[in-house]
């Protein structure tokens, strides 16, 4: 078995990288795949909290790299999904505790027994970012429909091009269709217009994402949530399926009213 | 050849300067890494500028060395080279290719040589990319916000120009800037600076030039 290494990064902080990793991981695992997430944000770990596994951490990635435990021992099994694992970051160390070649070695080992290895990159373009992309077969860039996030995404794409990595794909997170319609928010077209890379996911803004994160139970398991559906679609696209994008427009309140009115 | 013959180390204002001898890349690379291994305390935390002479280096080699150095606590910040390929590689990786900003008189001599030369760039310049050339620059692609293009001569962009552009950077007021969509963050020709006015309607090709000491943009039409 040779697993694929996918790194999720963004440049700018706070755009939803960690949430995206947790949700895609859950969606892939729900589909019966063996998945391991690696938290690359050494010193500022979050992925364990969002996945609700914080209290089960015994060993972390630095322990693996420095040989204090076997890789298996640092892999925390998810509460809900038997084939979903997390390798947490160390909270008491910094980015320099791990090197790009450590990451390549670790991922090569994980590839043997896993289908998907998802790496949650820290914000920024320094050491932590370089560690995170070192082993990547595929890079997903998360951005929000805001000018500053899109600029940072452009910078990161430029860095990936310079490293001669395969072309990354784009996830536009936290899109508010009503605001886009009013002209108050960048649309997916505007974002694509600048970045010009394949769009693999469009995730609508959804309060439930925050609720789910606080509860440590990623949304993608919940059938009803629109954002959860969008994350599940990204997972299917990663698997090579052709999945149409959600029709976000039709679900704004006014559209629904207009539709009802039109039907009568 | 002994280790010491392969590289020379000296202290400069910006950290350490290592000059590599003209031997095969794997040889000098190993010599450098061995030297670091011998004296880890000396190199720990250093900012390193590397003079690679005539080596032709590609991204794989240079980024590998940069990561190796960074694992030893050394920051590679500049690569000085006589090879244009290596210079491009360094620029792509965000490394400096000169130790100091060039002094005006140095640029003057460059101008004499490269007056009619042009640099061809066939890709989109993304944020954080900086392209400098003493002659003209032709870009087949977009210039995104956050990218910088600095030319001794004129700049032609067959695409959208949305970053910062400086034509006639050494004082040539006859330099022009043209683009299919001229919406730069900032446009400079010689010593003048202008900001593009907000565009209304569809973009059209435009040309900016100096007229009576002021920057002026107009439709770029044949004839």
């Amino acid at each position: 078995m040779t697993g694929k290494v996918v790194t999720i990064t963004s440049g700018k902080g706070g755009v939803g990288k960690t949430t995206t990793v947790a949700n895609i991981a859950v969606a892939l695992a729900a589909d019966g795949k063996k998945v391991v997430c690696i938290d690359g944000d050494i010193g500022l770990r979050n992925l364990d909290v969002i996945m609700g596994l914080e209290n089960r951490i015994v060993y972390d990635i630095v322990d693996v790299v420095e040989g204090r435990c076997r890789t298996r021992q640092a892999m925390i099994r998810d509460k809900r999904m038997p084939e979903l694992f997390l390798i947490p970051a160390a909270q008491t160390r910094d980015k320099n505790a791990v090197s790009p070649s450590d990451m390549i070695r670790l991922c090569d080992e994980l590839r043997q027994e896993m289908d998907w290895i998802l790496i949650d990159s820290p914000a920024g373009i320094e050491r932590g970012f370089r560690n995170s992309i070192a082993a990547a077969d595929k890079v997903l860039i998360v951005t929000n429909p805001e000018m500053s996030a899109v600029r940072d995404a452009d910078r990161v794409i430029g860095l990936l091009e310079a490293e001669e990595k395969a072309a990354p794909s784009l996830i536009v997170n936290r899109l508010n269709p009503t605001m886009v319609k009013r002209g108050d928010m960048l649309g997916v077209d505007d974002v694509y217009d600048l970045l010009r890379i394949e769009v693999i996911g469009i995730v609508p803004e959804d309060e439930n994402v925050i609720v789910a994160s606080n509860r440590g139970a990623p949304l993608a398991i919940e059938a009803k949530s629109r954002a959860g559906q969008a994350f599940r679609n990204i997972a299917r696209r990663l698997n090579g399926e052709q999945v149409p994008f959600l029709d976000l427009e039709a679900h704004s309140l006014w559209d629904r009213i207009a539709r009802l009115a039109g039907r009568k | 050849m002994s280790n010491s013959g392969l590289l020379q180390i000296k202290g400069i204002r910006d950290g350490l300067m290592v000059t590599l001898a003209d031997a095969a890349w794997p040889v000098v690379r190993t010599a450098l890494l061995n030297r670091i291994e011998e004296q880890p305390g000396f190199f720990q935390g250093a900012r390193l500028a590397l003079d690679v002479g005539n080596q032709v280096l590609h991204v794989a080699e240079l980024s590998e060395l940069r990561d190796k150095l960074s694992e030893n606590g050394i920051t590679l910040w500049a690569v000085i080279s006589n090879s244009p390929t290596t210079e491009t590689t360094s620029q792509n990786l965000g490394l400096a290719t000169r130790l100091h900003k060039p002094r005006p008189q140095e640029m003057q001599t460059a101008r004499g040589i490269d007056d009619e030369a042009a640099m061809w760039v066939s890709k989109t310049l993304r944020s954080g990319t900086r392209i400098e050339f003493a002659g003209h620059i032709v870009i087949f692609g977009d210039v995104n916000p956050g990218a910088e293009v600095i030319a001794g001569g004129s700049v032609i962009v067959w695409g959208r120009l949305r970053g910062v552009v400086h034509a006639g950077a050494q004082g040539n007021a006859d330099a022009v800037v043209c683009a299919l969509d001229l919406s730069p963050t900032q446009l400079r020709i010689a010593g003048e600076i202008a900001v593009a006015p907000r565009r209304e309607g569809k973009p059209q090709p435009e040309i900016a030039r100096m007229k009576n000491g002021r920057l002026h943009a107009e439709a770029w039409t044949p004839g």
Side-chain angles (χ1 to χ4, degrees):
Chain A
M1 189 185 287
T2 42
K4 255 187 130 179
V5 180
V6 179
T7 298
I8 288 89
T9 189
S10 67
K12 189 174 178 296
V15 296
K17 281 181 296 297
T18 305
T19 312
T20 302
V21 172
N23 278 290
I24 294 179
V26 164
L28 286 169
D31 194 32
K33 300 281 190 283
K34 289 183 164 185
V35 185
V36 58
C37 306
I38 302 178
D39 191 343
D41 204 349
I42 301 168
L44 284 171
R45 71 178 175 208
N46 281 146
L47 188 56
D48 51 319
V49 180
I50 289 192
M51 291 176 73
L53 301 173
E54 192 182 12
N55 54 9
R56 297 214 248 158
I57 298 176
V58 179
Y59 294 109
D60 57 49
I61 186 167
V62 177
D63 293 319
V64 176
V65 164
E66 294 180 352
R68 275 189 295 276
C69 69
R70 279 175 287 113
T71 306
R72 264 284 160 188
Q73 290 175 289
M75 290 167 64
I76 305 171
R77 194 186 290 273
D78 188 75
K79 291 180 277 196
R80 298 153 291 255
M81 313 250 172
E83 298 293 3
L84 173 59
F85 298 88
L86 167 71
I87 299 183
Q91 185 69 343
T92 51
R93 299 290 293 274
D94 66 25
K95 279 21 172 208
N96 294 318
V98 172
S99 71
S101 42
D102 292 331
M103 288 301 283
I104 293 173
R105 265 196 303 277
L106 174 61
C107 288
D108 283 346
E109 187 189 339
L110 292 168
R111 265 184 235 270
Q112 309 297 317
E113 41 183 323
M114 291 291 169
D115 297 306
W116 293 97
I117 297 133
L118 304 184
I119 303 177
D120 182 17
S121 155
I125 52 174
E126 294 82 21
R127 180 66 174 265
F129 164 75
R130 291 222 310 272
N131 284 343
S132 300
I133 62 163
D137 301 312
K138 173 98 193 149
V139 178
L140 304 184
I141 299 194
V142 182
T143 191
N144 292 156
E146 288 172 34
M147 226 44 238
S148 55
V150 174
R151 293 287 167 84
D152 288 3
D154 190 47
R155 174 89 169 105
V156 167
I157 298 166
L159 291 171
L160 292 168
E161 282 174 357
E163 305 267 348
E164 291 169 358
K165 291 266 168 199
S169 301
L170 188 70
I171 296 174
V172 181
N173 192 20
R174 255 182 239 153
L175 190 84
N176 182 328
T178 324
M179 281 181 76
V180 173
K181 216 165 186 193
R182 278 206 309 264
D184 292 337
M185 186 183 259
L186 296 175
V188 175
D189 295 347
D190 302 314
V191 176
Y192 176 77
D193 191 47
L194 185 76
L195 300 179
R196 304 266 163 173
I197 58 170
E198 177 216 14
V199 177
I200 195 172
I202 302 167
V203 184
E205 186 157 45
D206 185 344
E207 289 180 351
N208 295 320
V209 171
I210 297 172
V211 179
S213 296
N214 289 339
R215 262 195 287 137
L219 205 61
I221 339 175
E222 286 172 38
K224 280 181 294 183
S225 150
R226 305 275 302 157
Q229 179 67 50
F231 284 123
R232 284 199 298 276
N233 287 351
I234 296 172
R236 289 170 62 193
R237 289 186 197 112
L238 277 177
N239 267 322
E241 273 183 66
Q242 293 287 330
V243 188
F245 286 100
L246 293 176
D247 183 11
L248 300 174
E249 299 281 328
H251 283 257
S252 81
L253 181 62
W254 284 112
D255 275 350
R256 268 186 283 179
I257 292 172
R259 277 192 174 187
L260 287 175
R263 246 176 241 160
K264 273 177 190 167
Chain B
M1 206 186 290
S2 80
N3 231 358
S4 55
L6 289 169
L7 46 104
Q8 248 178 34
I9 303 173
K10 62 175 182 181
I12 55 170
R13 196 177 43 180
D14 303 302
L16 291 176
M17 172 83 186
V18 175
T19 309
L20 299 179
D22 247 339
W25 175 247
V27 177
V28 287
R29 176 192 161 280
T30 314
L32 173 61
L33 293 174
N34 285 346
R35 176 66 73 86
I36 291 167
E37 216 163 275
E38 284 162 22
Q39 299 166 283
F42 176 73
F43 285 98
Q44 181 66 39
R47 279 171 51 77
L48 194 77
L50 199 60
D51 185 343
V52 298
N54 298 318
Q55 302 275 356
V56 178
L57 298 176
H58 299 279
V59 170
E61 293 144 339
L62 214 48
S63 66
E64 186 267 349
L65 179 67
R66 179 197 59 188
D67 290 343
K68 267 270 159 25
L69 292 172
S70 124
E71 283 166 28
N72 287 290
I74 302 164
T75 312
L76 180 65
W77 69 276
V79 171
I80 320 294
S81 165
N82 300 327
S83 144
T85 310
T86 310
E87 279 212 339
T88 313
T89 307
S90 317
Q91 282 175 359
N92 280 341
L93 289 171
L95 300 168
T97 48
R98 291 195 194 110
L99 293 185
H100 311 287
K101 290 206 162 172
R103 277 174 235 112
Q105 53 271 43
E106 285 176 35
M107 305 259 298
Q108 282 300 334
T109 52
R111 183 184 159 193
I113 302 161
D114 291 299
D115 222 10
E116 290 308 316
M119 181 191 220
W120 170 254
V121 181
S122 63
K123 64 170 185 185
T124 287
L125 301 182
R126 297 187 182 272
S127 173
T129 325
R130 180 186 169 97
I131 287 208
E132 264 182 273
F133 187 64
H136 309 294
I137 300 182
V138 182
I139 295 164
F140 182 66
D142 294 347
V143 178
N144 284 356
E148 294 175 20
V149 178
I150 293 129
S154 297
V155 178
I156 298 178
V157 180
W158 192 263
R160 286 175 290 204
L161 171 47
R162 294 187 278 199
V164 171
V165 60
H166 193 171
Q170 289 110 53
N172 178 6
D174 297 328
V176 298
V177 175
C178 26
L180 295 184
D181 175 2
L182 186 71
S183 326
T185 314
Q186 205 183 74
L187 189 148
R188 304 180 204 147
I189 294 179
E192 290 299 306
I193 302 183
V195 175
R198 255 190 111 76
R199 167 168 326 282
E200 278 154 32
K202 271 189 81 169
Q204 55 166 357
E206 281 184 297
I207 177 166
R209 54 159 60 99
M210 188 98 92
K211 262 188 185 166
N212 308 322
R214 297 197 54 188
L215 293 181
H216 194 81
E218 58 198 45
W220 181 24
T221 47

